[in-house]
Amino acid sequence: MNQGKVLQPMDKQDAPLLSAQGIKVHFPVDQGFWSRLRGEKRVVHAVDGVDFSLRRGRTLGLVGESGCGKTTLGKTIVRLYQPTAGVLHFDGKDVTNLSASEFLPVRRQLQMVFQDPYSSLNRRKTVGQILARPLQIHGIGTRGERANLIEEALNAVGIDRSHVNRFPHEFSGGQRQRIGIARALVLDPEMLVLDEPVSALDVSIQAQILNLLMDLQERKGFAYLFIAHDLSVVKRISDDVAVMYLGRIVEQGPAREVLGDPQHPYTQALLSAVPGQQRRRERIILRGTVPSPIHPPPGCRFHTRCPFTKDLCRRVEPQLITLAGEHKVACHLLDSSVAAEMAG
Ligand code: SF4
């Protein structure tokens, strides 16, 4: 939630740093002998037509239950996955179909921090070697200059430079996540994709890492795509929020509106389960489990679990409509053009 930082020309400051239009990520499923014989093609619709944008110095919280596609979307942004369809722009440039070598300079500006700091750090390498690796890949600096950049990155995350020759197992979980963040910072990026960066940590350590991320954003003007399932964490750090369900965004807008006055039944249900919110809202218990992304339900994907489902919901997929300002929701209940049919 950056308030100031980095002096940019006004038009550059206001333009989206990242924009995604109609992003789909589908994975073919291994079909087995009989399915192949019958000519069946099964596909996981992990992300299925997502639009969003993110400005410099801002945080977009991406929330939803496990399996809703948020991590796949994050990995697609940094091109660990190639989108099946749609267009990605970074800093005004179409980066959707760049080759690996063409994408490398963009990747330098676009770093990712992973959920599990222990498995994402190479246990056989020292902290210094782990942080040196991205600098080597991008051909940055002499040996001495790299040592200075590593020291700066460690300093920024509160790890003493004397620890540079230690191995990951010599640190606590919170310190390891700081090292994971330092590895992303060492390239001086413009944007970080943070995939559940605090969910593996104790609550007290979570607060320290969130404070660190907010402090870094304030000082360096990073844009964050902050992926999480814990809405209380997202609320703390996000300027804007997008709620995903089964590969689609069902509600998005300023965090104070989406989390303060949620309009989509799914967002309402998620928020009603957050401790502390239960006094303000009646708990909404969702029926069943998230359907398979191999066969997403027709019409509204949420209709199998929604307490307000009507016949129209089973037949027609609701589109994101703007309620006010930048607050958008995909639900027939809130679309005045179909409200009469819903009431009937
Ligand atoms: Fe529920 Fe229908 Fe709205 Fe979907 S469109 S969230 S099923 S009321």
Side-chain angles (χ1 to χ4, degrees):
M1 298 175 107
N2 179 49
Q3 304 299 319
K5 160 55 203 194
V6 179
L7 296 173
Q8 299 269 6
M10 275 316 285
D11 53 344
K12 196 165 182 184
Q13 189 82 284
D14 291 341
L17 177 63
L18 176 82
S19 79
Q21 287 125 25
I23 293 298
K24 294 186 180 182
V25 190
H26 294 174
F27 300 108
V29 180
D30 183 19
Q31 296 159 53
F33 177 76
W34 293 110
S35 298
R36 275 202 298 272
L37 208 63
R38 286 196 295 269
E40 289 174 359
K41 280 204 174 116
R42 297 202 302 163
V43 170
V44 175
H45 301 77
V47 178
D48 217 7
V50 162
D51 298 337
F52 69 89
S53 62
L54 176 58
R55 296 205 301 273
R56 288 177 169 77
R58 305 272 296 182
T59 299
L60 172 65
L62 189 60
V63 300
E65 292 164 287
S66 293
C68 70
K70 52 192 192 306
T71 292
T72 302
L73 182 57
K75 288 183 173 176
T76 306
I77 301 301
V78 298
R79 284 284 299 276
L80 292 176
Y81 298 136
Q82 176 67 26
T84 311
V87 182
L88 280 173
H89 282 91
F90 185 79
D91 204 9
K93 181 179 177 186
D94 184 344
V95 298
T96 323
N97 293 309
L98 296 183
S99 67
S101 60
E102 289 169 333
F103 191 72
L104 199 60
V106 181
R107 188 68 172 78
R108 177 179 171 181
Q109 301 299 332
L110 196 49
Q111 291 294 304
M112 186 154 185
V113 174
F114 297 91
Q115 174 180 359
D116 182 351
Y118 199 41
S119 63
S120 71
L121 301 175
N122 188 332
R123 298 159 203 214
R124 294 201 195 95
K125 304 278 184 193
T126 64
V127 169
Q129 290 167 328
I130 289 168
L131 266 65
R133 186 73 187 129
L135 295 169
Q136 289 159 354
I137 290 171
H138 290 271
I140 296 168
T142 62
R143 211 180 156 97
E145 287 164 343
R146 284 177 193 162
N148 288 339
L149 290 170
I150 291 167
E151 192 177 318
E152 259 177 50
L154 287 175
N155 191 32
V157 300
I159 297 280
D160 196 284
R161 65 185 171 140
S162 65
H163 294 171
V164 80
N165 290 320
R166 292 193 183 180
F167 291 87
H169 72 267
E170 297 179 73
F171 295 90
S172 67
Q175 285 175 316
R176 283 198 286 264
Q177 194 55 295
R178 287 174 188 268
I179 294 164
I181 295 168
R183 178 176 56 182
L185 296 190
V186 77
L187 290 171
D188 194 23
E190 295 217 48
M191 176 176 164
L192 300 185
V193 175
L194 301 153
D195 184 14
E196 302 267 13
V198 297
S199 59
L201 306 174
D202 293 343
V203 173
S204 61
I205 309 296
Q206 284 187 359
Q208 291 173 16
I209 297 293
L210 286 178
N211 286 340
L212 169 67
L213 289 169
M214 289 191 281
D215 178 54
L216 287 170
Q217 187 177 55
E218 187 76 26
R219 286 192 281 128
K220 295 178 179 286
F222 297 137
Y224 291 150
L225 180 65
F226 189 94
I227 298 168
H229 65 276
D230 183 339
L231 269 73
S232 53
V233 167
V234 169
K235 192 173 185 178
R236 218 173 133 211
I237 196 169
S238 302
D239 298 293
D240 300 288
V241 168
V243 182
M244 278 188 85
Y245 185 79
L246 259 188
R248 304 290 304 259
I249 290 176
V250 297
E251 182 160 7
Q252 68 184 105
R256 67 182 177 282
E257 292 176 29
V258 174
L259 302 180
D261 187 18
Q263 296 297 309
H264 195 282
Y266 180 58
T267 317
Q268 291 170 352
L270 289 180
L271 266 165
S272 77
V274 174
Q277 292 282 327
Q278 286 152 346
R279 265 171 292 154
R280 294 177 50 204
R281 327 175 181 270
E282 195 181 326
R283 177 85 198 265
I284 302 169
I285 310 280
L286 292 177
R287 295 181 272 159
T289 54
V290 182
S292 164
I294 298 176
H295 300 294
C300 175
R301 292 175 180 213
F302 188 53
H303 85 248
T304 56
R305 303 174 77 199
C306 179
F308 309 109
T309 301
K310 294 277 171 63
D311 183 53
L312 181 71
C313 308
R314 298 185 186 94
R315 293 185 283 109
V316 180
E317 180 156 23
Q319 301 304 310
L320 273 176
I321 54 159
T322 302
L323 293 181
E326 295 181 358
H327 191 173
K328 297 178 183 172
V329 181
C331 173
H332 292 314
L333 280 178
L334 299 150
D335 186 345
S336 56
S337 67
V338 296
E341 193 175 341
M342 285 290 281

